[in-house]
Structures are given as C-alpha cells and as structure tokens.
Amino acid sequence: MRKQILGMFLGIVLVLLLIGCASNKTPPLKGGYQSEPVEGYIVQMTFQPEDHSFVEYIDNREVDIGTYEKLENGVYKINGDIQEFEITLNNDNSFDVIVKKLNGGNPIKLKNIDDVPTYIGTKFDDADEYKSLME
C-alpha cells in the first residue's frame, strides 16, 4: 500500500515537473504577428520558417522585406532591405519592434495572431509614405 502511494506521489511530481518545464519553452518564430493600434497605425510582421524570410507591414503596406536567423534561444536577427535589428521572442509568443517615427521611438509589442504566414499582395500608391516611418 505504501509503495503504491509513494509511486503515485512520485508520478504526480514528475508530471508537474514536466508541465512546468514545458511552459517555459520559447515558441518558434513563425506565422503572423500584429500590434495594437499605435498612433492610428497597425504594425504587422510575417515569418516563413521554410526559407527564413519575413515581410513587415504598416497598415497593410509593405515597408521592409528580408531574411531572419536564429542567434540563440528566442533571439533572432532580422536582416531587411531597410533595417537590421534583433528581436527577443517571449514565452507568450510576442516581441517588441521599434518603428522610429511611431510611439516616440519606443518599442511596439507584436503578438502572434496565427502560425500560418499571411501575405498582403495589394499594391498601394502611398507605400513610400509608410516606409518613411521606418527612417
């Protein structure tokens, strides 16, 4: 009887340890990420893990495109046509980016909205105005 109780106790402890360790794992960088509105703009990024490519959008206008590479657990280097920077993916599958002319140059949080990358193919006549927010 004692062996059964001890066995059940050890089993429960092992399961709790496994669950606790699994919840601290950083998710992979993939799919679509989006901010809340910031000064009337929404920042979006999409990541394709198969070829390590990304596209950044502001209000559905493409403002940067390029590749990314994993540096260490949760840290990625973004290599775009317009800018290069690092992001740290949080356990809640979010990260911060800086768009120089938005939010006073302070970080903007992007949260994962889908694991499948979504691309916006519409060409806008005012895309250069949105790209200027990055400079």
Side-chain angles (χ1 to χ4, degrees):
M1 181 73 149
R2 281 186 155 179
K3 287 182 182 181
Q4 290 175 339
I5 293 173
L6 182 60
M8 284 180 31
F9 176 74
L10 289 175
I12 291 171
V13 168
L14 181 61
V15 168
L16 291 175
L17 282 173
L18 290 174
I19 291 171
C21 291
S23 66
N24 291 332
K25 185 179 177 188
T26 305
L29 183 64
K30 67 178 183 176
Y33 294 78
Q34 181 172 305
S35 73
E36 295 292 324
V38 177
E39 298 176 18
Y41 297 97
I42 295 178
V43 179
Q44 303 149 299
M45 290 186 80
T46 190
F47 295 90
Q48 181 61 258
E50 283 78 21
D51 62 1
H52 298 282
S53 65
F54 84 92
V55 181
E56 184 172 5
Y57 303 93
I58 299 177
D59 284 352
N60 297 331
R61 277 84 168 166
E62 183 179 300
V63 294
D64 203 4
I65 188 168
T67 60
Y68 67 96
E69 60 184 293
K70 186 174 185 175
L71 300 178
E72 56 186 78
N73 188 31
V75 179
Y76 295 84
K77 182 175 182 187
I78 308 300
N79 303 300
D81 289 343
I82 294 181
Q83 59 182 351
E84 292 184 5
F85 57 96
E86 289 182 10
I87 61 170
T88 301
L89 191 59
N90 301 313
N91 290 342
D92 67 352
N93 209 0
S94 70
F95 60 88
D96 293 333
V97 296
I98 294 177
V99 177
K100 293 178 183 175
K101 294 183 181 174
L102 288 182
N103 201 32
N106 294 313
I108 299 169
K109 182 177 287 294
L110 273 65
K111 297 179 182 177
N112 183 265
I113 56 170
D114 199 342
D115 283 345
V116 178
T118 302
Y119 298 95
I120 301 165
T122 305
K123 299 296 180 193
F124 293 91
D125 294 336
D126 59 353
D128 288 338
E129 294 174 35
Y130 288 83
K131 284 183 182 182
S132 71
L133 296 169
M134 310 285 287
E135 301 167 348

